[in-house]
Amino acid sequence: MVTDATRLVFVSGQVPEDETGHVPEDFDSQCRLAWRNVLSVLEAADMTVRNLVKVTVFLSDRRYREANARIRHEVLGDHSPALTIIITGIYDEAWLLEIEAVAAA
């Protein structure tokens, strides 16, 4: 539940590309990179993972569910925003996931 928030940040879908456009081949590296991109957006807004209130993860295949959960817990620790995981086709076939989020402060 969010109460008394004065700022909302809507984090557009973050993909597993670095600033040069490089996409790692394996899921774990892609997942960590996509989360790093989410964290960069939050940092630019003077926020952290503790400000996340909703996260949506788009996975290209069900086989990535366990690795996704493991890495998400590494990144979020004990913070538990509302979460939706969708198995779907992804815009770029090289991307194995995409993460979008909403943060409040």
Side-chain angles (χ1 to χ4, degrees):
M1 179 186 315
V2 177
T3 58
D4 299 324
T6 59
R7 291 188 308 131
L8 293 176
V9 172
F10 293 85
V11 181
S12 183
Q14 297 299 299
V15 298
E17 285 188 1
D18 66 16
E19 59 281 346
T20 69
H22 173 73
V23 177
E25 290 187 27
D26 65 288
F27 181 83
D28 284 17
S29 297
Q30 284 199 21
C31 191
R32 286 188 175 92
L33 179 55
W35 273 110
R36 190 164 50 244
N37 293 340
V38 169
L39 297 177
S40 292
V41 173
L42 293 175
E43 183 179 337
D46 198 27
M47 293 183 175
T48 70
V49 295
R50 305 302 285 179
N51 295 103
L52 289 172
V53 295
K54 174 71 173 107
V55 173
T56 304
V57 179
F58 300 91
L59 295 177
S60 65
D61 195 294
R62 282 179 175 78
R63 66 183 162 164
Y64 302 125
R65 290 178 302 182
E66 290 179 19
N68 174 62
R70 176 177 40 80
I71 294 167
R72 185 179 67 251
H73 290 295
E74 287 175 13
V75 173
L76 299 181
D78 65 351
H79 184 61
S80 297
L83 174 67
T84 301
I85 299 171
I86 300 170
I87 310 299
T88 188
I90 306 284
Y91 179 78
D92 187 320
E93 291 181 5
W95 304 339
L96 302 177
L97 79 158
E98 184 173 341
I99 303 169
E100 69 178 25
V102 178

